[in-house]
Amino acid sequence: MTDSVLARHAVRSFKQDKLTSEEVDQLISAFQAAPCGMGQADVTQAVVIESDDMLQRFEKSVNDAAYGAPLLFVIATKADSQFGERNASVAAENVMVEATRLGLGSVYVMSAAMALQKDPDLIADLGIDDGYTPQVVVPVGHATEEIAANDRSDRYKVMRR
Ligand SMILES: Cc1cc2nc3c(=O)[nH]c(=O)nc-3n(C[C@H](O)[C@H](O)[C@H](O)COP(=O)(O)O)c2cc1C
């Protein structure tokens, strides 16, 4: 399947191989290209975690909710913005679709973001600005195994009029 939107699926088991610098750049470009409520760019920011020290500290803090991936996208938004969660979600999807295009696995993880919200020291050490709330974590890496495509063509109720 060549359509990255249709080929994307949740991956929760990762090899430890690091991503290349070019791959990380592509993921960041995809994040930057995401829709942005009323063009208010300062509502949203992201931390890309690649270092082993920080990855280990992060997984410990969130009780392994990021599945041991070799790279994490932590997307945070201004606490008082009506666009925050929406911006974070569309940006996460951009990152996941781009990861798929690059042959990488990913998953949208809300639980890790919620756990991180309870660790202000780690939030500060990640460089997330004061007043911003972690909303989504997107672990990215090479999947340990190929997951067979499942048919999601009937997932949601869709009306055509
Ligand atoms: C709002 C939201 C929250 C999610 N939170 C988690 C999570 O905390 N942990 C997790 O493993 N997957 C999480 N997921 C991924 C979903 O479980 C996954 O997308 C769903 O099972 C459908 O599978 P698919 O993405 O392969 O189509 C979340 C997805 C969304 C959209």
Side-chain angles (χ1 to χ4, degrees), residues 8-10 12 67 107-111 152 155:
R8 184 216 58 79
H9 54 255
R12 298 185 177 87
Y67 301 110
V107 59
Y108 184 121
V109 182
M110 189 172 131
S111 56
R152 298 167 295 186
R155 171 176 281 171

Side-chain angles (χ1 to χ4, degrees), residues 4 6-7 18 31-33 43 55 58 79 85 103 144 147:
S4 299
L6 297 181
K18 294 288 186 193
F31 169 78
Q32 297 284 20
V43 168
L55 286 167
F58 189 95
E85 292 174 32
T144 51
I147 297 176

Side-chain angles (χ1 to χ4, degrees), residues 6 9-10 13 18 31 36 41 54 62 66 74 86 94 99 104-106 112 120-121 123 127 136 150 158-159:
L6 297 181
H9 54 255
S13 179
K18 294 288 186 193
F31 169 78
C36 171
M54 196 51 98
V62 304
V74 180
R86 285 112 168 166
N94 264 27
L104 299 164
S106 63
D121 291 343
I123 291 174
V136 185
N150 57 335
V158 176
M159 285 69 67

Side-chain angles (χ1 to χ4, degrees), residues 12-31:
R12 298 185 177 87
S13 179
F14 299 94
K15 295 178 185 169
Q16 285 314 296
D17 318 32
K18 294 288 186 193
L19 277 62
T20 66
S21 177
E22 291 75 20
E23 287 170 333
V24 178
D25 286 345
Q26 296 274 15
L27 294 172
I28 292 171
S29 294
F31 169 78

